[in-house]
Amino acid sequence: MTEPSRPQTNLLSLTEAQMAALVHGFGWPGYRTGQILRWLYQRRARTIGQMTDLSQKDREQLSEIATIRRTRDCVVLESADGTRKLLLTLDDGLRIETVLIPEEDRLTLCVSTQVGCMLDCGFCLTGTMGLKRNLKAHEIVDQVLTAQDHLTGEERLTNLVFMGMGEPLANIEALSAAIHCLTNKSWGLGWSPRRITVSTAGLAARLNDVAALGVNLAISLNGTTEEQRRQLMPAVSQIASLKTLMAACRRYPLAPTRRLTFEYVLLAGVNDRDEDARRLVTLLKGIRCKMNLIPFNEFPGSAYRRPTDRNVLSFQRLLTQAGIDAFIRKSRGRDVLGACGQLGKVPAGAASVALTQIESRC
Ligand code: SAH
């Protein structure tokens, strides 16, 4: 195959309709659209040459104008607890992170939606980077494909959470297109939307967009008064007040068998007191929900502290006694800065911080 002179289309960047138009342009039968898409997403082909149910001539024709460009230089940082942080390099050289979190009965992938974040939540490392840019839909899907490439033996992904770098609802178009591709059963990855969760810092006006996607919604509450949220999450509080956010949660078109998830980062002496728990109970009254408590994960230079286990448990107890299902999120991958709020930087002196493996692949 000859080296092309003009920039080639990345097949992964095409929507189903655009792929159909490309196929039509070649004068090929319509079913070829599904064939190519299945090669991309179900078989994770990295070259057009691999598409062996296309004739050699068709593959050559396609290669003249198109290519498959996946993320590059995947570096894997493996935590002592088995969590694996994947550092991926995008086409323009920027880097993103995606985290594989194995638990007893599940294997969750924590996916990024932006490079950096435009929000400035004071407890989150990603926020200190600022927003570099939105991810494109295929860059979001690529994280899942690359994670799958790295699974070993019996491993299968069971859950996807959009809780990596960035604010998913600030990149809703690419997020929607990515979820469409992830859930498409005919040529896509065939995920059930029930196994996918989108987390927002509180872009209240966009909650219904999540409902339309059929996936689960998580809301990072983190504060129980307007003032507390303004202090901890200034930018998002300007977009929507706590009152507006809670009203949007109450209006949320929740399917009868589902419930909302609320997340609450516990910061020692700041929002982990008994009075905070009591206000939380009042705020959530009448909402079908569960609560994930996340003890603060420290990072170099962080201004907050992690509460003691005793305080975390007593906060949880106050909620459960009031009838709220509250779970404590185990911190995973802290030694590789792979836990909640720690994405954005490769740990300094990575080799010395309990890393069991640094591997370069792709
Ligand atoms: N922007 C989205 C998703 C990314 S953050 C959101 O805010 O929901 C995913 C979760 O990690 C959020 O609930 C956030 O509040 C929490 N988080 C951020 N920094 C953290 C930290 N240092 N320790 C513990 N949890 C943190």
Side-chain angles (χ1 to χ4, degrees):
M1 284 170 209
T2 48
E3 200 51 38
S5 51
R6 60 199 161 105
Q8 289 175 302
T9 305
N10 183 2
L11 290 178
L12 287 165
S13 72
L14 301 182
T15 61
E16 183 178 9
Q18 287 167 331
M19 189 67 82
L22 187 93
V23 164
H24 184 74
F26 278 122
W28 293 342
Y31 63 79
R32 189 131 301 173
T33 306
Q35 273 180 314
I36 299 174
L37 289 168
R38 278 190 287 278
W39 274 109
L40 295 176
Y41 298 110
Q42 296 181 352
R43 304 201 195 177
R44 301 196 299 282
R46 284 182 178 266
T47 64
I48 291 170
Q50 282 174 281
M51 300 182 175
T52 45
D53 53 5
L54 271 65
S55 71
Q56 178 71 17
K57 186 168 143 275
D58 288 358
R59 277 180 272 165
E60 280 176 16
Q61 258 189 309
L62 188 56
S63 300
E64 278 167 23
I65 61 150
T67 183
I68 301 172
R69 265 197 311 280
R70 296 271 306 273
T71 49
R72 298 178 274 131
D73 304 331
C74 179
V75 175
V76 184
L77 304 183
E78 182 159 346
S79 159
D81 66 18
T83 301
R84 278 166 281 168
K85 172 155 121 164
L86 275 51
L87 301 169
L88 310 177
T89 306
L90 305 170
D91 242 7
D92 56 5
L94 289 172
R95 291 183 118 187
I96 51 164
E97 305 182 7
T98 187
V99 186
L100 266 168
I101 310 161
E103 285 161 302
E104 257 164 48
D105 53 348
R106 36 165 93 183
L107 179 56
T108 302
L109 187 71
C110 181
V111 180
S112 296
T113 51
Q114 299 182 306
V115 188
C117 186
M118 91 283 192
L119 301 177
D120 54 359
C121 307
F123 46 80
C124 180
L125 179 64
T126 310
T128 63
M129 293 174 66
L131 178 66
K132 304 275 193 283
R133 71 168 171 86
N134 276 335
L135 289 183
K136 296 174 191 139
H138 70 88
E139 292 169 329
I140 297 174
V141 175
D142 198 312
Q143 296 170 61
V144 183
L145 300 176
T146 304
Q148 284 179 315
D149 288 341
H150 281 269
L151 298 183
T152 51
E154 298 292 280
E155 284 186 322
R156 293 278 173 282
L157 290 177
T158 61
N159 296 75
L160 292 182
V161 295
F162 285 90
M163 297 183 186
M165 295 166 80
E167 167 52 42
L169 300 195
N171 188 15
I172 188 73
E173 265 184 43
L175 176 75
S176 302
I179 288 179
H180 179 69
C181 177
L182 292 167
T183 53
N184 183 293
K185 289 213 183 330
S186 132
W187 51 261
L189 281 84
W191 276 82
S192 159
R194 292 182 160 265
R195 294 192 169 269
I196 301 177
T197 300
V198 170
S199 178
T200 179
L203 298 193
R206 299 205 173 149
L207 299 193
N208 282 355
D209 295 339
V210 178
L213 292 168
V215 297
N216 302 304
L217 173 64
I219 298 118
S220 301
L221 207 47
N222 302 339
T224 52
T225 65
E226 298 286 354
E227 200 199 331
Q228 210 177 36
R229 249 182 84 88
R230 265 199 303 271
Q231 270 178 9
L232 297 174
M233 311 169 82
V236 76
S237 302
Q238 285 234 310
I239 300 170
S241 66
L242 178 60
K243 189 164 169 233
T244 305
L245 177 60
M246 294 315 296
C249 291
R250 285 177 194 285
R251 280 198 310 270
Y252 189 76
L254 202 55
T257 54
R258 305 254 197 130
R259 48 186 181 168
L260 287 177
T261 299
F262 286 94
E263 294 163 284
Y264 193 92
V265 183
L266 285 165
L267 308 165
V270 175
N271 67 356
D272 67 337
R273 297 156 302 182
D274 291 359
E275 67 209 66
D276 295 299
R278 279 193 286 270
R279 277 198 299 263
L280 205 45
V281 170
T282 312
L283 269 180
L284 299 181
K285 233 174 214 123
I287 303 181
R288 206 163 61 244
C289 66
K290 65 172 174 168
M291 170 62 74
N292 280 342
L293 300 171
I294 320 176
F296 177 60
N297 294 312
E298 295 177 8
F299 51 85
S302 57
Y304 298 102
R305 280 180 304 110
R306 186 184 180 86
T308 60
D309 288 351
R310 199 160 152 241
N311 283 1
V312 172
L313 287 170
S314 96
F315 196 93
Q316 179 192 34
R317 199 173 317 114
L318 283 174
L319 298 184
T320 47
Q321 278 168 357
I324 297 174
D325 272 343
F327 305 92
I328 298 168
R329 179 154 333 140
K330 262 197 274 167
S331 288
R332 306 296 305 267
R334 276 198 285 162
D335 50 357
V336 291
L337 290 186
C340 296
Q342 294 186 313
L343 302 188
K345 297 205 174 140
V346 186
S352 64
V353 290
L355 279 176
T356 52
Q357 181 187 11
I358 299 182
E359 180 189 347
S360 220
R361 289 242 289 254
C362 305

